Amino acid sequence: MNQLITFEGADGCGKSTQLQLTTAWLRHQGKQVLQTKQPGGTPLGVEIRRLLLSGEFTPIPECELLMFLADRAQHVKEVIQPALQAGVWVLCDRYSDSTLAYQLAARGLDEKLDLTAMLAFAEAGCVPHQTFWFDVSIETAMLRLEKRQQSGEPSNRLDDEAMAFHQRVHQAFGYIYQANQERMIRLDASASIETIQQQIQQIIQKKIRC
Ligand code: TYD
């Protein structure tokens, strides 16, 4: 049975590489796969992504949260739900756990808000069957980000946040994992690309057999 699988982790954790490898491998297994991402998985979402991440604007935390949720709501209804209904495997780079880590925890909105109902509203019933969390030390993540920047790859507005922000994101993912172990698999993101990919394939292989 096809599934919605999400890839989560702090900036610079290496999840996007693994997402691409997993997509290629699943297709090789004869599965139909949609590889997508948040924010920016729809034409409207591409615009929301630009507004959120280009650095042209600095939304207040409340606005930032609502824009990520708006992107997700559009993406779920326009792309993810129809794909799942058509039997396609959906691999999504970031989903609601990112909102919990970045907006709720790192931006400190958790003191003001119970986000559960809002997350569910945007997800419209499309809850991930499985989430891979790429657990990377804050030092490694920052080094990878620096390297990316040195190689000329442009950083986004959130990459450029202070170290303390990234630390809060990192810590939040740990808490989210503790609370959702039936759905989330922790992967040691300091392992080699090949080792991590093998672990992912083994886990998905079991699902394919079910
Ligand atoms: P992206 O370039 O896709 O970064 P990465 O390769 O690290 O995933 O940018 C997405 C950024 O948006 C990233 O910094 C995390 C952030 N984000 C949130 O803050 N909240 C969210 O709900 C989502 C989906 C992403």
Side-chain angles (χ1 to χ4, degrees):
M1 175 80 170
N2 62 313
Q3 299 210 330
L4 168 60
I5 302 178
T6 57
F7 288 59
E8 294 276 11
D11 296 274
C13 69
K15 66 183 164 40
S16 305
T17 306
Q18 293 296 338
L19 184 73
Q20 281 170 16
L21 291 169
T22 309
T23 300
W25 170 73
L26 259 178
R27 286 188 178 143
H28 193 68
Q29 305 291 305
K31 305 292 173 202
Q32 260 190 292
V33 184
L34 171 76
Q35 183 190 321
T36 188
K37 68 174 177 186
Q38 291 184 0
T42 61
L44 176 57
V46 169
E47 292 301 311
I48 296 176
R49 181 185 172 92
R50 185 178 61 76
L51 295 172
L52 273 167
L53 299 178
S54 68
E56 194 180 337
F57 304 100
T58 311
I60 59 163
E62 290 81 352
C63 177
E64 184 179 276
L65 165 70
L66 292 169
M67 287 174 77
F68 277 113
L69 292 179
D71 168 77
R72 181 163 311 126
Q74 185 71 29
H75 190 210
V76 165
K77 283 281 171 73
E78 190 179 326
V79 174
I80 295 181
Q81 215 168 50
L84 289 172
Q85 280 164 1
V88 174
W89 287 70
V90 179
L91 305 188
C92 191
D93 196 341
R94 297 194 181 280
Y95 205 67
S96 297
D97 296 316
S98 282
T99 313
L100 286 170
Y102 285 81
Q103 278 67 54
L104 208 66
R107 290 275 186 238
L109 288 177
D110 46 354
E111 285 155 22
K112 296 188 186 168
L113 192 68
D114 177 0
L115 195 57
T116 319
M118 288 168 82
L119 287 179
F121 180 62
E123 287 181 356
C126 288
V127 180
H129 298 91
Q130 185 89 77
T131 297
F132 291 112
W133 169 45
F134 294 79
D135 187 12
V136 69
S137 75
I138 185 77
E139 292 78 18
T140 309
M142 296 312 285
L143 268 177
R144 286 184 188 168
L145 272 182
E146 257 173 47
K147 262 197 201 161
R148 265 201 234 164
Q149 282 161 4
Q150 281 163 5
S151 72
E153 214 180 293
S155 57
N156 72 46
R157 185 175 59 84
L158 296 181
D159 292 339
D160 296 338
E161 285 284 345
M163 178 85 165
F165 178 87
H166 291 290
Q167 260 158 351
R168 287 196 293 276
V169 168
H170 185 260
Q171 203 180 28
F173 272 119
Y175 293 138
I176 296 166
Y177 169 68
Q178 291 298 333
N180 294 281
Q181 291 193 30
E182 72 300 335
R183 168 175 62 85
M184 289 179 97
I185 305 272
R186 179 190 164 279
L187 297 167
D188 176 0
S190 66
S192 71
I193 290 179
E194 294 74 23
T195 304
I196 299 173
Q197 182 56 205
Q198 266 175 11
Q199 290 170 342
I200 293 174
Q201 290 180 9
Q202 274 169 9
I203 291 158
I204 299 182
Q205 193 77 63
K206 279 191 205 143
K207 292 172 168 292
I208 293 176
R209 285 199 207 107
C210 288

